[in-house]
């Protein structure tokens, strides 16, 4: 191909369902804006511009701008008959689902930056480093959510992980912080290695790394060989397992969760909040994307594949939730407790993915209900709704931890005794977040859980094992009550010891308003359910 | 413009007070605390205008009896609240003739009471709080009336209960007010329990809670009746239990007299004119169900009669002016239920029974509101003294209050041509009709007798209160200061308007059958012929009113000595009446005390059995923690080892599964 032809393709050369490079670049605009703001931040420090304009403004404006662009893309999708397209020659995909997650992540980024501004965690000196790491991680996560190729999958995960390692160790003076970062790195490297091995196995056997091609190739491999006994099929299963290890690491699923409590304990609470929501959301987006494309149309061998994947994930979900909840119970440090709670919540969310795969496995084989076609999107709607509520309730909890730390220099639950007497705003908002994390109506967490459990219940029609998953989910909700409410009880019902460090915060100060906004959203999402659930359902439909 | 109004009128009615509430809570608490009543008055004016407009929307082609066919309901789905799987909870507003009339009543009385309260509550430290709670109440009440399904109705049924609680306990630092608020809440809970069970049963039976689906299609009910002939009896009795709680009927009437601890405008609005009539509204709304449950209708009539009688007897000897009015409210609500129950007397009576109950509710709202507000005005002038033994002869000192109270009292006593006369007379007439025919004629005969007796007592106790307060020698309590002042303009104007309404609104809508003809447009009500005017009952009730008033005049103005003699001679009966026939005492002794015992047992079980179990459960995570703690020891080598182990276990299990398949 000569230069002219290349250039022509660059401008307009649409292959079927693939956007040209120019169009790809416009679609990629939110990520580009974020990248530009990173560059700007670094250049600003070079020319000492950051003495005049604080760095967080660059990050905040960059985040907002990319959120607005994503919103615009969403609006474009809703209004015109835009169809999903593959961008950058099929490496990534642009559909409602990826837009939903990109919007989610940029929105979250804005909230995290606002929080760090309020708590003052990177000081002026470190701000450019911190915010470029933060924005970089978000770009990685956005890539994860729109990945359409195994290569992109790996790059996305690594791009999200590497800045996370650095941010975990951001409190350079603190031994615990550096240690946590190192553990995180070692662990992450191990998981990435296993995953890369899995990816190369899969690519080698199936001869493609394109998500959309995986299902037909697998069927072809399955048909040309003697079924499950054949080494090729086994290799596929092993490769998938190894890729799953990478996901398990990102989602901190048992037994690949060890980094999580240590990292959260060592990292500043703001970073903890960021990791617990952001990387989880991106990893779920990617997991859902990969598994649904593997499940394909659920015919023949794919049905069996997606059923066994679903049941396996269900089993891991049970173990993870139970483990997280039981281990959280005996924690004294609130960040450690929240780390285990994050593990448990990853388990709940994994139940939705498990239900989805189990439901997909009978897409064409059996039709037992009129609205059966809706079951898959419904499960996804549950996951997306849960993630949105989770954003607010978890961020709220971490924000309150950070704000209290700024005044008491303590993150032990015992030091929270009787805070309701001194800072009722924080105590009430914390109680709201905790109640929502348990899943008590009428808070958002309840509806998230209700949606997920409803789709697990639907999945019980397909396989009896989902009853076990459902029961485990219910039982775990009860167990989780103990440790969440302990925090609320300590803050609201105990009396503040006389020698405790006093905490003060006016109800109209900006940190208090921030916390009220976040926990207000938790309440809001528990009362006004319809708009968000509709958007979530709309995004979920893009996958099917 | 008209189209826009027709489509949006429904949500406008509750939205105006809701906005007022939000404004007062968010802004009014801080800025302009003295003017916190303004948003409410404005909001209510909008609501009233909208309600009046709604009257013309639901019945578009005039009021005549002939256009029966054109009657329809207006519906809007404001918001799709929850939609998970098959569970679908829309927030649907629905209005028909019945709800439009009720809304007009609610918003007009609320508006006048709000204006009255703006002066009455002046200087109270909780001024904005009062108006916030009151706006919330009007919003909830409008939503209760507009609810398009049983679930929404229940939500706002509870919401008005909450507002009632907040307003009874408005002066929460007074222990008696706090206790009264609690009592009202707890007693209402019993009724609410019945109501929610009834709603569950409706869902179970019909599979829908939507009013339009349930009431506008007789086929659905007929289909259910063919399969389960008794089910509607159960549904109706449960719904009626809900109504008994909210409308303070026997045996749950105990909360209403105590509720007078709240500010007087609240007593006038919530505990006389609007909220307590929600029970009547519920039963009237569910008429399509009740017509299939004649025994429940007889129960309704019986309970109504018992309540009316007991409350009237109690009211005879009370000294607290507001309590007299409270018992009178209970008694009048009993009247309404008697009327609703009369529907069981025969096929053709159902429509008239409902119409007359709703009509009495309508007139009662006005004359009872004026009575209460006048009592409030007396209280205002007397320095919060309300015991009638401590003041008398106020008619010179408080002329406006005197005249308005007299107007309300005449209407309540049933003096001919005033509003109470028309509505009460119609109830008596429909009871008389029920006692003339049908298999339960004897039963309704007894009910009619009780109604007549109650009517006599009503006239007596109303004028006893009137004469004790406004006649006799002029006497003020010390709290009042030397020169008690009459109602200021902001109180006097609403009083005057309500007094005029109390005198005239029955005349305007009663003999012309305007109200009845309008209400007939409610979809789902059974059809019936014109109801003849019962001259006999009219005559008897006029005589009874005259006798009652005359007796009161004789006893309390001409020769008060007789009263003292009577008190001594009939001290046992007097004591019984004074103490409300010991129903409260009975309730505490035989219901509350055993419950307290049960509570003690439950507490024991909770502390020593359930808590112990919970502690055991709580022990498990600790145990678990001590097992995993050695693994999570911070050594990265260990982590890697466990991770490897995990991977190997997963690998083995996947391989095993693969081998087992095929």
């Amino acid at each position: 191909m000569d230069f002219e032809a290349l250039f022509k393709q660059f401008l307009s050369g649409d292959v079927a369902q693939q956007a040209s490079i120019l169009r790809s670049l416009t679609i990629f605009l939110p990520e580009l804006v974020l990248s530009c703001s990173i560059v700007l931040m670094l250049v600003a420090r070079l020319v000492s511009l950051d003495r005049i304009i604080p760095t967080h403004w660059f990050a905040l404006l960059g985040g907002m701008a990319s959120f607005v662009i994503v919103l615009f893309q969403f609006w474009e999708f809703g209004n015109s008959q835009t169809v999903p397209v593959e961008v950058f020659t099929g490496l990534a995909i642009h559909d409602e689902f990826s837009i939903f997650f990109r919007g989610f992540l940029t929105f979250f980024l804005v909230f995290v930056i606002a929080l760090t501004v309020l708590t003052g965690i990177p000081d002026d000196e470190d701000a450019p480093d911190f915010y470029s790491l933060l924005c970089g991680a978000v770009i990685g996560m956005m890539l994860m959510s729109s990945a359409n190729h195994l290569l992109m999958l790996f790059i996305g995960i690594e791009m999200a992980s590497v800045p996370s390692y650095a941010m975990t160790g951001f409190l350079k003076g603190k031994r615990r912080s550096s240690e946590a970062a190192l553990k995180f790195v070692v662990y992450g490297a191990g998981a990435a290695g296993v995953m890369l091995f899995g990816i190369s196995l899969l690519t080698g056997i199936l001869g493609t790394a394109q998500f959309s091609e995986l299902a037909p190739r697998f069927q072809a491999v399955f048909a040309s060989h003697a079924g499950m006994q054949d080494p090729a099929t086994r290799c596929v299963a092993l490769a998938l397992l190894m890729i799953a290890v990478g996901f398990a690491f990102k989602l901190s699923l048992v037994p690949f969760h060890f980094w999580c409590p240590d990292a959260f304990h060592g990292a500043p609470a703001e970073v903890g909040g960021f990791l617990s929501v952001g990387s989880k959301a991106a990893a779920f987006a990617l997991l859902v994307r990969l598994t649904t494309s593997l499940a394909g149309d659920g015919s023949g061998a794919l049905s069996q594949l997606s059923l066994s994947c679903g049941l396996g994930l269900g089993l891991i979900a049970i173990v993870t939730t139970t483990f997280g909840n039981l281990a959280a119970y005996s924690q004294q440090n609130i960040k450690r407790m929240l780390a285990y709670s994050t593990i448990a919540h990853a388990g709940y969310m994994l139940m939705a993915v498990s239900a989805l795969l189990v439901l997909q496995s009978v897409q064409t084989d059996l039709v037992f209900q009129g609205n059966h076609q809706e079951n898959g999107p419904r499960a996804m709607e549950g996951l997306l709704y849960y993630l949105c509520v989770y954003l607010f309730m978890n961020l709220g909890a971490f924000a309150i931890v950070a704000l209290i730390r700024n005044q008491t220099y303590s993150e032990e639950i015992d030091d929270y005794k009787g805070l309701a007497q001194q800072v009722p705003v924080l105590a009430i908002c914390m109680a709201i977040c905790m109640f929502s994390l348990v899943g008590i109506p009428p808070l958002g967490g309840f509806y998230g859980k209700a949606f997920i459990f409803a789709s697990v219940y639907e999945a019980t029609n397909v396989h009896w094992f989902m009853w076990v998953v459902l029961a485990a989910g219910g039982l775990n909700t009860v167990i989780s009550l103990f440790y969440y409410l302990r925090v609320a009880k300590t803050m609201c019902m105990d009396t503040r010891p006389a020698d405790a460090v006093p905490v003060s915060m006016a109800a109209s100060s900006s940190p208090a308003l921030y916390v009220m906004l976040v926990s207000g959203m938790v309440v809001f999402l528990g009362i006004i359910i319809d708009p968000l659930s509709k958007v979530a359902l709309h995004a979920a439909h893009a996958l099917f | 413009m008209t189209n826009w109004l027709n489509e949006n009128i429904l949500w406008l009615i509750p939205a105006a007070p809701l906005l007022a509430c939000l404004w007062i809570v968010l802004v009014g608490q801080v800025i302009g605390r003295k003017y916190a009543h303004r948003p409410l008055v404005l909001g209510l004016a909008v609501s009233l205008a909208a309600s009046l407009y709604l009257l013309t929307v639901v019945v578009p082609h005039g009021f005549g009896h002939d256009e029966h066919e054109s009657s329809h309901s207006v519906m809007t789905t404001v918001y799709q609240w929850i939609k998970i799987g098959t569970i679908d909870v829309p927030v649907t507003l629905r209005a028909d003739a019945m709800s439009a009339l009720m809304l007009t009543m609610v918003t007009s009385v609320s508006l006048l009471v709000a204006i009255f309260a703006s002066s009455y509550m002046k200087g109270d430290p909780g001024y904005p709080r009062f108006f916030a709670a009151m706006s919330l109440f009007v919003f909830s009440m409008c939503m209760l009336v507009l609810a398009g399904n049983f679930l929404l109705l229940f939500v706002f049924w509870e919401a008005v209960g909450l507002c009632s609680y907040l307003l009874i306990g408005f002066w929460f630092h007074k222990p008696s007010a706090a206790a009264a608020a609690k009592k009202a809440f707890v007693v209402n809970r019993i009724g609410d329990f019945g109501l929610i069970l009834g709603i569950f049963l409706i869902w179970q039976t019909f599979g829908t809670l939507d009013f339009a689906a349930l009431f506008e299609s007789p086929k659905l009910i007929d289909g259910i009746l063919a399969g389960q002939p008794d089910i509607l009896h159960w549904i109706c009795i449960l719904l009626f239990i809900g109504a008994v709680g909210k409308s303070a009927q026997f045996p749950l009437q105990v909360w209403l007299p105590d509720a007078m601890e709240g500010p007087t405008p609240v007593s006038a609005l919530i505990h006389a004119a609007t909220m307590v009539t929600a029970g009547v509204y519920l039963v009237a709304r569910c008429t399509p169900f009740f017509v299939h449950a004649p025994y429940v209708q007889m129960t309704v009539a019986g309970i109504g009669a018992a309540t009316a009688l007991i409350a009237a007897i109690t009211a005879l000897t009370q000294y607290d002016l507001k309590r007299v009015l409270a018992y009178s409210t209970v008694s009048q609500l009993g009247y309404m239920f008697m009327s609703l129950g009369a529907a069981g007397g025969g096929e053709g009576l159902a429509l008239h029974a409902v119409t007359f109950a709703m009509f009495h509710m309508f007139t009662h709202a006005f004359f009872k509101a004026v009575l209460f507000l006048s009592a409030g005005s007396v209280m205002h002038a007397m320095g919060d003294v309300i015991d009638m033994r401590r003041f008398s002869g106020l008619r010179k000192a408080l002329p406006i209050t005197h005249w308005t109270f007299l107007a309300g009292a005449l209407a309540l006593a049933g003096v001919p041509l005033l509003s109470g006369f028309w509505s009460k007379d119609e109830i008596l007439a429909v009871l008389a009709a029920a006692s003339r025919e049908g298999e339960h004629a004897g039963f309704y005969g007894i009910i009619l007798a009780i109604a007549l007796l109650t009517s006599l007592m009503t006239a007596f106790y109303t004028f006893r209160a009137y004469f004790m307060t406004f006649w006799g020698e002029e006497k003020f309590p010390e709290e009042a200061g030397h020169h008690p002042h009459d109602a200021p303009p902001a109180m006097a104007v609403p009083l005057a308007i309500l007094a005029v309404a109390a005198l005239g609104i029955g005349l305007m809508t009663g003999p012309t059958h305007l109200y009845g003809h309008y209400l007939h447009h409610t979809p789902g009500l059974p059809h019936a012929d014109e109801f003849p005017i019962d001259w006999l009952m009219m005559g008897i009730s006029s005589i009874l009113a005259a006798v009652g008033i005359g007796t009161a005049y004789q006893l309390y103005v001409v020769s008060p000595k007789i009263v003292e003699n009577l008190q001594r001679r009939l001290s046992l009966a007097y004591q019984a009446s004074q103490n409300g026939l010991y129903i409260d005492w009975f309730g505490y002794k035989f219901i509350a005390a055993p419950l307290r015992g049960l509570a003690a047992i439950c507490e024991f079980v909770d502390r020593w059995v359930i808590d112990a179990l919970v502690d055991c459960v709580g022990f498990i995570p600790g145990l678990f923690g001590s097992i995993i703690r050695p693994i999570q020891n911070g050594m990265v080598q260990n982590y890697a080892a466990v991770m490897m182990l995990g991977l190997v276990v997963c690998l083995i299990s996947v391989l095993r599964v693969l081998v087992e398949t095929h």
Side-chain angles (χ1 to χ4, degrees):
Chain A
M1 220 187 290
D2 59 350
F3 175 76
E4 202 174 328
L6 259 179
F7 189 69
K8 209 170 256 174
Q9 194 191 350
F10 180 78
L11 287 181
S12 63
D14 278 336
V15 191
Q17 294 185 354
Q18 275 194 10
S20 68
I21 303 293
L22 194 62
R23 169 123 174 81
S24 300
L25 281 174
T26 40
I27 288 170
F28 204 56
L29 206 58
E31 285 88 344
L32 290 179
V33 168
L34 276 183
S35 316
C36 284
S37 55
I38 294 178
V39 174
L40 269 178
M41 279 185 268
L42 297 177
V43 170
R45 177 160 64 181
L46 210 60
V47 299
S48 297
L49 191 65
D50 61 334
R51 302 271 157 90
I52 307 161
I53 309 169
T55 317
H56 55 249
W57 285 116
F58 291 103
L60 206 55
L61 288 177
M64 282 177 180
S66 52
F67 177 63
V68 169
I69 297 168
V70 175
L71 269 190
F72 183 75
Q73 290 182 344
F74 184 78
W75 176 78
E76 202 178 40
F77 248 101
N79 265 331
S80 58
Q81 296 297 316
T82 319
V83 284
V85 282
E86 293 182 332
V87 292
F88 293 121
T89 63
L91 279 177
I93 190 164
H94 179 67
D95 57 7
E96 284 100 329
F97 190 74
S98 72
I99 291 179
F100 181 89
F101 271 98
R102 286 153 84 206
F104 178 95
L105 290 166
T106 44
F107 180 78
F108 180 57
L109 174 69
V110 172
F111 266 78
V112 172
I113 295 171
L115 174 65
T116 55
V117 173
L118 292 173
T119 58
I121 246 315
D123 52 24
D124 289 343
E125 202 56 42
D126 291 333
D129 298 336
F130 185 83
Y131 290 119
S132 40
L133 288 171
L134 193 65
C135 293
V138 168
I139 296 174
M141 290 166 187
M142 288 164 84
L143 287 180
M144 282 166 80
S145 65
S146 49
N148 191 35
H149 196 275
L150 286 172
L151 209 56
M152 201 56 155
L153 175 149
F154 186 73
I155 290 174
I157 289 186
E158 285 310 295
M159 227 181 131
S161 296
V162 173
S164 309
Y165 305 148
M167 282 195 289
T168 307
F170 205 76
L171 300 174
K172 283 168 289 194
K174 283 200 176 169
R175 189 172 159 268
R176 191 186 287 284
S177 185
S178 316
E179 188 186 325
L182 196 63
K183 276 180 197 163
F184 196 6
V185 171
V186 171
Y187 216 87
V194 176
M195 186 176 190
L196 201 54
F197 192 28
I199 290 175
S200 27
L201 265 182
L202 193 67
T203 319
I205 295 166
L206 297 183
T208 181
Q210 197 82 18
F211 281 2
S212 50
E213 287 294 301
L214 290 178
R217 294 285 176 96
F218 177 75
Q219 225 159 9
V221 167
F222 192 82
S224 63
H225 294 82
M228 284 298 178
Q229 255 80 10
D230 191 82
T233 328
R234 284 186 186 180
C235 271
V236 171
L238 292 185
L240 288 179
L241 180 69
M242 286 175 165
I243 295 175
V245 168
F247 281 107
F249 158 73
K250 279 260 82 163
L251 294 173
S252 62
L253 303 176
V254 176
F256 306 98
H257 66 280
F258 286 103
W259 62 274
C260 183
D262 287 347
F264 278 41
H265 194 178
E270 296 86 340
V271 176
F274 173 71
L275 289 182
S276 71
V277 179
S279 63
K280 215 129 277 179
F284 268 112
L286 190 48
L287 180 65
V288 167
R289 176 90 70 190
L290 179 63
T291 47
T292 48
S293 46
L294 267 175
D297 55 357
S299 57
L302 294 173
S303 158
Q304 206 178 352
L305 180 72
S306 77
L307 182 65
S308 37
C309 278
L311 295 181
L313 288 182
L315 181 66
I316 295 179
I318 295 175
V319 175
T320 305
T321 334
T322 315
F323 178 89
N325 279 326
L326 288 178
Y329 184 75
S330 51
Q331 300 307 320
Q332 296 305 317
N333 182 290
I334 189 144
K335 281 196 307 193
R336 249 188 130 72
M337 188 210 91
L338 285 173
Y340 281 110
S341 130
T342 303
I343 296 175
H345 280 277
Y348 291 127
M349 291 184 246
L350 197 62
M351 285 176 189
V353 184
S354 150
L356 169 72
L357 288 173
V358 172
L359 286 168
Q360 286 299 97
S361 70
V362 288
Q363 197 74 301
T364 47
D365 290 20
L366 285 167
V367 176
F368 38 77
Q369 266 165 7
N371 61 348
H372 180 67
Q373 287 294 327
E374 271 298 290
N375 281 338
R378 286 262 169 226
M380 255 325 78
E381 176 195 1
L383 175 64
L384 300 187
Y385 198 89
Y386 200 102
L387 274 171
C388 290
V389 179
Y390 186 69
L391 184 161
F392 291 109
M393 58 193 183
N394 224 29
L395 184 66
F398 275 104
I400 293 167
V401 170
L403 290 170
I404 293 175
R405 173 210 62 204
N406 275 1
Q407 300 200 18
T408 63
Y409 304 103
S410 162
E411 283 159 350
E412 300 301 310
I413 296 177
D414 278 346
D415 292 334
Y416 282 20
K417 271 188 185 154
L419 274 178
Q421 293 144 19
Q422 294 179 350
V423 274
V425 180
L426 293 187
I428 290 168
C429 292
M430 188 65 147
I432 290 175
C433 292
M434 291 291 142
F435 276 109
S436 179
L437 281 165
V438 183
I440 288 177
L443 300 169
F446 168 75
Y447 285 100
K449 258 190 190 148
F451 280 126
I452 289 183
F453 288 173
S455 46
V456 174
Y457 174 74
E458 283 296 328
T460 56
N461 286 325
V462 182
H463 199 279
W464 60 268
F465 184 71
M466 297 314 279
W467 283 112
V468 182
V469 176
L470 190 63
L475 211 61
N476 268 297
T477 306
V478 178
I479 300 176
S480 67
L481 206 74
F482 288 105
Y483 64 90
Y484 285 128
L485 293 199
R486 197 177 104 213
V487 178
K489 181 220 156 213
T490 310
M491 289 181 90
C492 298
M493 288 165 78
D494 292 352
T495 48
R496 190 117 180 104
D499 56 343
V501 186
V503 182
S504 66
M505 182 172 293
S508 56
S509 62
S510 40
L513 287 177
Y514 177 87
V515 170
M516 281 193 275
L517 173 68
V518 172
S519 47
M521 282 304 294
V522 174
V523 181
F524 178 80
L525 288 178
I527 298 171
I528 310 291
I529 301 144
D530 210 39
L532 181 61
S533 79
K534 262 191 193 138
V535 171
L537 192 62
H538 187 63
H541 269 295
L543 287 174
F544 301 94
Chain B
M1 182 69 189
T2 319
N3 273 336
W4 183 87
L5 258 182
N6 286 351
E7 278 163 23
N8 295 288
I9 196 83
L10 281 188
W11 63 261
L12 194 63
I13 297 171
L18 179 65
L19 284 179
C21 175
L22 290 177
W23 175 265
I24 299 171
V25 168
L26 296 175
V27 181
Q29 288 280 7
V30 191
I31 304 162
R33 288 177 62 92
K34 273 188 199 159
Y35 305 108
H37 60 275
R38 285 184 183 171
L40 175 59
V41 171
L42 184 70
L44 286 177
V46 172
S47 287
L48 176 59
S51 308
L52 288 174
Y53 184 75
L54 183 68
L55 279 176
T56 67
V57 172
V58 285
V59 182
H61 306 299
F63 293 13
H65 204 73
D66 306 329
E67 290 97 20
H68 225 134
E69 307 312 319
S70 68
S71 58
H72 69 294
S73 58
V74 184
M75 284 172 71
T76 339
T77 298
V78 179
Y79 178 62
Q80 197 74 25
W81 187 22
I82 305 170
K83 200 163 184 178
I84 306 179
T86 54
I87 300 171
D88 179 13
V89 186
V91 178
T92 309
L93 301 183
R94 176 181 179 278
D96 54 18
M98 190 188 281
S99 23
L101 284 171
M102 182 119 179
L103 279 174
T104 313
M105 178 195 99
V106 169
T107 48
S108 56
V109 175
S110 309
L111 177 63
L112 294 171
V113 171
I115 297 171
F116 181 90
S118 68
S119 167
Y120 184 86
M121 298 301 291
K122 195 162 272 174
D124 194 280
Y127 196 73
R129 181 162 56 91
F130 178 84
F131 286 97
M134 203 166 138
S135 351
L136 189 63
F137 166 76
V138 181
F139 161 69
S140 313
M141 190 71 205
C142 290
M143 287 297 288
L144 169 67
V145 176
L146 281 170
N149 57 47
F150 272 106
L151 189 65
L152 205 59
L153 178 120
F154 185 75
V155 168
F156 288 98
W157 185 272
E158 293 296 314
V160 291
L162 169 75
C163 296
S164 157
Y165 171 82
L166 292 176
L167 285 165
I168 296 172
F170 180 72
W171 290 308
F172 51 84
H173 45 81
K174 247 181 18 186
S176 58
K182 204 160 69 186
K183 185 172 174 183
F185 206 67
V186 171
V187 173
N188 263 303
R189 260 317 61 70
I190 302 172
D192 298 346
F193 185 62
L195 177 59
I196 191 126
L197 286 185
I199 293 174
F200 286 157
L201 197 55
I202 292 173
W203 172 258
Q204 182 78 23
T205 314
F206 293 94
T208 177
L209 294 177
D210 193 51
F211 284 164
L214 288 171
F215 296 147
E216 290 176 23
S217 57
K219 273 187 201 142
L220 182 65
I221 296 178
D222 290 341
I224 294 291
L225 275 176
Q228 301 159 283
D230 284 341
I231 195 79
L232 276 179
H233 276 93
W234 290 109
I235 290 175
C236 289
I237 201 83
L238 288 169
L239 292 177
F240 179 57
I241 290 173
V244 163
K246 189 63 79 194
S247 288
Q249 294 296 292
F250 179 79
L252 300 180
Q253 85 278 37
V254 288
W255 68 270
L256 189 61
D258 287 10
M260 297 303 131
E261 289 290 342
T264 309
V266 169
S267 312
L269 177 61
I270 300 184
H271 303 117
T274 55
M275 185 192 82
V276 287
T277 59
V280 181
Y281 172 74
L282 176 69
V283 175
R285 170 62 69 206
C286 300
T287 307
F289 287 171
F290 277 80
V291 288
H292 296 289
Y295 290 104
V296 180
Q297 283 176 322
M298 285 169 68
T299 316
V300 171
I303 294 276
T307 315
L309 187 65
I310 292 169
I313 292 174
T314 314
L316 291 178
T317 54
Q318 298 301 312
Y319 286 115
D320 183 323
L321 179 56
K322 275 179 75 179
R323 271 182 174 261
V324 173
L325 297 177
Y327 281 113
S328 144
T329 305
V330 174
S331 174
Q332 297 302 310
L333 288 167
Y335 254 100
M336 297 171 209
F337 279 104
M338 273 191 258
S339 170
L340 287 170
E347 291 255 320
L349 289 179
L351 174 67
H352 303 300
V354 172
T355 308
F356 300 155
M358 292 298 286
F359 184 42
H360 193 52
M361 174 170 112
F362 189 73
T363 56
H364 174 256
F366 290 99
F367 62 70
K368 194 47 74 61
V370 74
L371 280 171
F372 262 111
L373 292 184
S374 304
S377 174
V378 169
M379 212 170 150
H380 200 59
M382 294 297 117
D384 284 345
V385 173
I386 197 66
D387 189 333
M388 292 189 286
R389 282 168 297 191
R390 300 195 45 203
F391 50 72
S392 58
L394 302 183
R395 70 179 188 279
K396 296 207 184 61
L398 310 174
I400 302 173
T401 311
H402 167 238
W403 286 114
T404 52
F405 191 94
L406 181 61
L410 287 171
L412 173 59
V415 170
L417 303 184
L418 304 185
S419 61
F421 170 76
W422 297 109
S423 52
K424 197 185 286 182
D425 172 67
E426 283 183 325
I427 292 179
L428 292 173
V430 75
L431 283 172
S435 68
R436 272 197 297 271
E437 54 192 84
E439 46 184 325
H440 310 301
F443 175 79
Y444 283 108
I446 299 170
I447 303 279
L448 176 65
I450 293 175
L452 288 171
L453 179 61
T454 312
S455 157
L456 173 67
M457 286 195 283
T458 307
F460 175 75
Y461 67 68
T462 314
F463 274 86
R464 169 179 172 269
Y466 167 71
F467 289 128
M468 281 182 84
T469 308
F470 293 102
W471 288 62
E473 58 164 329
E474 198 165 72
K475 185 170 87 181
F476 305 131
E478 304 97 52
E479 289 89 334
H482 292 295
H483 297 288
H485 53 91
D486 201 1
M491 282 159 70
V493 172
L495 275 176
I497 297 175
L498 279 171
V500 171
L503 294 175
I505 204 145
L507 190 62
M508 205 177 79
T509 50
T512 55
H513 296 291
L514 197 62
Y515 190 92
H517 283 168
Y518 190 87
L519 192 73
H520 294 184
H521 288 285
T522 309
L525 283 186
H527 296 232
D529 303 328
E530 197 83 18
F531 195 76
I533 293 176
D534 193 330
W535 295 105
L536 176 68
M537 281 302 140
M538 241 179 217
I540 294 179
S541 79
S542 310
I543 294 169
L544 288 176
V547 171
I549 297 171
T551 318
Y553 184 73
Q554 185 67 29
L555 289 183
Y556 288 92
V557 180
V558 180
S559 45
K561 283 278 181 308
I562 301 177
V563 182
E564 287 167 26
N565 275 333
L566 275 178
Q567 274 182 23
R568 230 174 294 127
R569 294 251 181 89
L570 301 170
S571 72
L572 200 67
Y574 181 80
Q575 285 297 327
S577 161
Q578 180 85 39
N579 292 306
L581 300 181
Y582 296 104
I583 289 170
D584 248 355
W585 175 85
F586 187 85
Y588 279 121
K589 209 76 176 173
F590 292 98
I591 297 171
L595 280 179
R596 209 162 281 155
L598 185 67
I601 297 171
C602 289
E603 194 196 349
F604 178 83
V605 172
D606 186 62
R607 184 158 294 173
W608 298 108
V609 180
I610 296 179
D611 262 13
L613 280 175
V614 171
D615 285 347
C616 282
V617 173
F619 183 68
I620 297 169
L623 198 71
F624 181 78
S626 63
I627 297 169
I628 58 150
R629 201 160 293 143
I631 307 173
Q632 184 92 36
N633 60 356
M635 300 298 234
V636 85
Q637 311 82 301
N638 260 16
Y639 295 1
V642 175
M643 182 177 161
M644 271 317 292
L645 207 66
L647 186 58
V648 169
V649 169
C650 288
L651 277 177
I652 291 172
S653 44
V654 166
L655 286 177
R656 279 185 62 116
V657 168
L658 285 180
V659 169
E660 273 165 23
T661 46
H662 299 287

